[in-house]
Amino acid sequence: MQDVKRIVIKGRAVPVRGNDIDTDRIIPARFLKTVVFDGLGEHSFEDDRAQLKAAGKTHPLDDARFAGARVLLVNRNFGCGASREHAPQALIRWGQGLQAIVGESFAEIFFGNCVATGVPCAVVDAATAEALLSAVEKDPALEVQVDLRTKTVTAGSASYPFSIPDGPRTQFMEGRWDSTAELLAAKDKVRATAAKIPYFNSYGS
Amino acid sequence: MGKSLYEKVFDRHVVTRLPSGQYQLLTGLHLIHEVTSPQAFSMLEGRGLGVLMPERTFATVDHIIPTKSQLRPFSDSLAEEMMIALERNVKKHGIRYLSPDTGEQGIVHVIGPEQGLTQPGMTIACGDSHTSTHGAFGAIALGIGTSQVRDVLATQTLAMDKLKVRRIEVTGALRPGVYAKDVTLTIIGKLGVNGGVGYAYEYGGAVIDRMSMEERMTLCNMSIEGGARCGYVNPDETTFRYIEGRKFAPKGDAWGRAVADWTSLRSDADAAYDDVVTLRGEDIEPVVTWGITPGQSVGVTGSIPSSQQFPESERGIVEEAYEYMSLKAGQAIRGTKVDVAFIGSCTNGRLSDFEEVVRLIQGKGFKVKPHVRALVVPGSQAVRRAMIDKGYDKVFSDAGFEFREAGCSMCLAMNPDKLTGREVCASSSNRNFKGRQGSPTGRTLLMSPAMVAAAAIAGEVTDARDLFHIA
């Protein structure tokens, strides 16, 4: 069941600009009417893409220049709103699969869902986010590399530091982001903790 | 230095520290619904695992259930398939299911409290971000993703970081016609939609102390819209009175012991907080959102702010909101035409929400404007029955509102209740994201139930205080 390790993610990148991009935009609710995650990928950003298309514009995800991207570049508070894990589950199924996200900040539940899905979210400052977004917009063929060992993101010849909490970083690097196995290990302690909490014991009645 | 309720409850539920540095947190109550649980059960089965404490998980159906008729099979085959999956999973794993047949079905965040399942001092998890609602009782209530639903099913625990705590103090008193919804929208407008990231919000102060449990639920419900993973109110007499006698509440001698325990978990007077924010209740106005995040809001007497009033980093989304909403800076929010009005959701779909609207409209001959489609959707079957008992269904139908069956309805449009095209909806729900109400170009204006009713009657955004002569 153990997943592969996530140490260095590299490849082309796709820039999706904007603050506060919520999970309804990443995967609209109507596509959640399913009992599996398969098939979500093609609906990533569906409404945003359709809307731009109708206006004669092209969403970066539809832009052939960014086809095959592995890294998603974003701005601030990415993934806010609904807790749906379907959002990262869609992104890892988009095209060749988006395997890392670099942005100024991430909503908390989204970040956790990305850990569960094996997608490192690297946090950079606003200037770095801008530099990365513009660099890739200018040269879509640029290789972007997210290196968890050194906590640097490299785009062409430029390198920038990013931050990621130590816990998830280690989980990615050791291939241990599947939490269930780890949590199961403490089964006895779970029972012992429950035994000490009054409501777990119906307040002694 | 004393401790906050968050710390006390968190510490009590820590099983161990994980190698990742996170804490393994025991979960006291797990609520599941049809949308975020099927994949979790599949993952569980894929590993040959069972449910560790099935008696601590409760299921219901809310997101996909149609509100015109709950009769099976649903005409939407995908929705029917999700129902069948849920029924199969709860049966297989021995999980109690508050199904439509039991008369106890409803929005998961309405029925938890209603059944007395939600209690102070608990850790509560549900695969839905509005789980923060249950914090109204002094619980740590966390929205989780599907992999974490799997974790809770398999281990009754979660891997969690410990949050910082921000106390939000609302002093004084609210003016007439100002509601809990306005308080939460004001807080989000002030602190931003990502201002709460990394925090639990503790709400306190005279305004909160006076709030009913249902108002506190509205407040805590939207903590997540401000970026806070959870929000809570310290339990008090109001809390205890609400819980006492409910189906799953402690009974007999256990009741006294429970109240003593709950009281001991209240934040200490000298508790240390990572941040404190104070608002004056008197400064809060009825609020309407004008944009595409719950933080883009304005008092009903105000106008759409200029993008120049925002820091540069926010101007992009402000401009995007003008375009999507077809609104211009400087334009008054009053007078914005609405096509649809929706009263319901886990934010404002409880009995007192409807009761307040009935109080305002009953016997005054108010009618929904003919061009407006107005929906009243009870948050649970129990709320619906109570409304019928009190004759509220008639008050609403007579005024031109459609009175529906219990469910999430138009909050997120995973069921037949949806906006079409570029319709504008005055909504008592919690999210005004692009496309949220089912039409990729649909537009949502969030506000209190009283303001939604006023908009339905006026056919446009209007100040409920004027229309209903609230003084």
Side-chain angles (χ1 to χ4, degrees):
Chain A
M1 198 61 226
Q2 205 41 286
D3 306 271
V4 291
K5 296 173 182 178
R6 295 270 190 275
I7 299 169
V8 180
I9 295 98
K10 60 181 171 186
R12 295 160 72 126
V14 56
V16 176
R17 285 182 181 270
N19 292 335
D20 307 320
I21 292 181
D22 58 78
T23 54
D24 274 88
R25 287 173 68 184
I26 299 171
I27 183 82
R30 62 184 180 280
F31 301 115
L32 273 54
K33 268 196 259 168
T34 168
V35 296
V36 294
F37 288 132
D38 304 330
L40 289 176
E42 60 186 287
H43 300 299
S44 303
F45 287 100
E46 174 126 337
D47 292 344
D48 280 12
R49 286 161 46 214
Q51 232 157 347
L52 285 171
K53 199 169 174 187
K57 298 178 199 162
T58 308
H59 190 277
L61 259 60
D62 285 328
D63 190 330
R65 297 176 302 149
F66 304 119
R70 291 285 187 181
V71 178
L72 175 62
L73 303 175
V74 301
N75 286 113
R76 197 190 67 195
N77 198 28
F78 187 77
C80 60
S83 60
R84 59 188 71 158
E85 189 173 309
H86 306 65
Q89 294 283 0
L91 297 176
I92 61 169
R93 289 173 172 82
W94 170 261
Q96 304 293 310
L98 295 166
Q99 295 187 333
I101 313 178
V102 182
E104 293 166 54
S105 65
F106 298 91
E108 221 160 279
I109 301 180
F110 179 81
F111 183 93
N113 285 337
C114 284
V115 174
T117 316
V119 179
C121 293
V123 174
V124 295
D125 61 32
T128 302
E130 182 51 42
L132 290 168
L133 287 160
S134 340
V136 169
E137 282 163 350
K138 205 150 84 187
D139 178 10
L142 203 63
E143 185 181 85
V144 173
Q145 180 171 311
V146 178
D147 191 334
L148 288 161
R149 293 168 304 191
T150 55
K151 295 202 269 184
T152 50
V153 51
T154 308
S157 57
S159 280
Y160 310 90
F162 70 78
S163 66
I164 184 167
D166 287 338
R169 175 172 169 252
T170 314
Q171 287 174 283
F172 286 126
M173 290 176 61
E174 295 178 359
R176 294 190 292 104
W177 61 80
D178 176 350
S179 43
T180 306
E182 224 154 67
L183 295 173
L184 272 174
K187 221 172 180 173
D188 294 341
K189 280 191 190 166
V190 169
R191 298 274 185 202
T193 306
K196 286 185 289 186
I197 300 177
Y199 74 86
F200 268 81
N201 304 287
S202 309
Y203 295 99
S205 61
Chain B
M1 198 58 99
K3 282 183 168 185
S4 66
L5 175 138
Y6 176 82
E7 284 181 276
K8 294 184 200 183
V9 175
F10 191 97
D11 292 350
R12 186 184 253 199
H13 289 82
V14 169
V15 172
T16 188
R17 193 94 190 242
L18 297 164
S20 67
Q22 288 188 299
Y23 294 89
Q24 181 167 0
L25 199 67
L26 185 62
T27 305
L29 174 65
H30 185 209
L31 301 166
I32 61 172
H33 59 81
E34 74 283 8
V35 180
T36 55
S37 69
Q39 294 92 341
F41 282 108
S42 302
M43 292 191 256
L44 212 60
E45 282 160 22
R47 297 173 193 205
L49 293 169
V51 177
L52 187 67
M53 299 184 187
E55 72 283 5
R56 298 218 155 261
T57 295
F58 292 80
T60 193
V61 53
D62 52 10
H63 287 59
I64 58 155
I65 197 162
T67 64
K68 267 193 176 153
S69 160
Q70 297 186 334
L71 283 182
R72 301 282 296 279
F74 298 152
S75 56
D76 178 346
S77 62
L78 293 173
E80 180 63 21
E81 191 190 340
M82 294 176 88
M83 278 296 273
I84 292 168
L86 183 69
E87 289 162 346
R88 187 181 59 86
N89 288 327
V90 295
K91 196 164 169 210
K92 179 169 176 187
H93 296 282
I95 291 165
R96 188 153 183 163
Y97 174 36
L98 307 175
S99 73
D101 301 336
T102 61
E104 295 173 338
Q105 172 265 341
I107 305 175
V108 66
H109 310 308
V110 175
I111 64 167
E114 191 172 86
Q115 296 288 324
L117 289 166
T118 303
Q119 295 171 18
M122 282 182 163
T123 46
I124 301 176
C126 174
D128 190 286
S129 60
H130 293 114
T131 306
S132 58
T133 311
H134 305 262
F137 291 80
I140 299 181
L142 304 161
I144 57 176
T146 295
S147 294
Q148 291 178 299
V149 173
R150 172 198 67 201
D151 288 347
V152 178
L153 290 170
T155 72
Q156 202 58 34
T157 62
L158 280 171
M160 274 301 296
D161 292 306
K162 197 167 185 177
L163 298 165
K164 293 182 282 185
V165 182
R166 171 180 289 146
R167 180 167 165 94
I168 300 181
E169 182 118 2
V170 189
T171 62
L174 298 180
R175 296 182 185 279
V178 176
Y179 301 96
K181 182 64 159 285
D182 303 307
V183 176
T184 183
L185 285 172
T186 300
I187 291 169
I188 298 163
K190 188 180 160 88
L191 301 177
V193 289
N194 63 345
V197 173
Y199 284 97
Y201 280 175
E202 174 178 302
Y203 300 101
V207 165
I208 314 299
D209 291 345
R210 266 197 304 274
M211 279 185 179
S212 71
M213 286 316 295
E214 298 195 346
E215 291 172 306
R216 293 177 188 179
M217 285 186 242
T218 300
L219 181 71
C220 291
N221 173 275
M222 292 199 52
S223 303
I224 188 69
E225 307 311 333
R229 188 77 183 264
C230 63
Y232 66 90
V233 177
N234 281 296
D236 60 9
E237 275 306 312
T238 306
T239 320
F240 306 149
R241 274 201 308 274
Y242 178 96
I243 299 171
E244 193 169 14
R246 290 185 187 265
K247 188 166 174 183
F248 290 93
K251 304 272 165 22
D253 293 347
W255 173 254
R257 287 194 289 272
V259 170
D261 185 54
W262 297 342
T263 306
S264 75
L265 294 170
R266 286 175 54 89
S267 292
D268 297 327
D270 60 345
Y273 297 98
D274 299 285
D275 191 29
V276 177
V277 171
T278 305
L279 281 81
R280 269 165 40 94
E282 292 77 7
D283 294 342
I284 301 173
E285 263 204 287
V287 179
V288 181
T289 64
W290 58 268
I292 54 173
T293 80
Q296 293 176 325
S297 66
V298 68
V300 63
T301 57
S303 48
I304 315 294
S306 150
S307 62
Q308 299 307 310
Q309 289 169 241
F310 295 88
E312 209 181 322
S313 66
E314 277 181 41
R315 287 179 201 161
I317 194 158
V318 170
E319 302 280 350
E320 197 177 334
Y322 294 153
E323 193 186 333
Y324 185 83
M325 300 298 291
S326 304
L327 292 170
K328 288 193 180 66
Q331 189 178 334
I333 193 71
R334 263 189 304 199
T336 306
K337 195 176 163 222
V338 305
D339 308 294
V340 179
F342 168 56
I343 309 180
S345 86
C346 60
T347 311
N348 283 122
R350 298 182 181 80
L351 187 61
S352 60
D353 294 310
F354 300 110
E355 210 149 46
E356 175 64 6
V357 176
V358 166
R359 187 181 73 81
L360 296 172
I361 66 173
Q362 191 169 26
K364 302 194 181 83
F366 287 118
K367 295 276 183 215
V368 170
K369 265 275 186 307
H371 77 266
V372 177
R373 180 158 56 104
L375 263 60
V376 164
V377 187
S380 71
Q381 292 180 324
V383 169
R384 187 169 192 276
R385 279 193 303 274
M387 289 174 74
I388 293 171
D389 285 349
K390 291 169 182 276
Y392 296 169
D393 56 328
K394 285 230 10 117
V395 176
F396 281 115
S397 340
D398 289 351
F401 291 85
E402 289 179 50
F403 179 69
R404 296 290 189 86
E405 305 267 356
C408 294
S409 183
M410 206 180 264
C411 175
L412 86 171
M414 284 189 70
N415 53 70
D417 303 340
K418 291 182 171 98
L419 297 184
T420 54
R422 302 191 69 238
E423 280 182 330
V424 174
C425 179
S427 182
S428 74
S429 56
N430 40 57
R431 290 192 171 133
N432 52 343
F433 299 153
K434 286 181 170 182
R436 171 75 179 183
Q437 293 188 290
S439 162
T441 50
R443 295 169 282 174
T444 305
L445 308 172
L446 302 175
M447 57 190 88
S448 70
M451 285 285 292
V452 174
I457 291 160
E460 59 184 37
V461 174
T462 192
D463 193 334
R465 295 171 300 187
D466 298 338
L467 184 71
F468 300 129
H469 304 291
I470 304 172

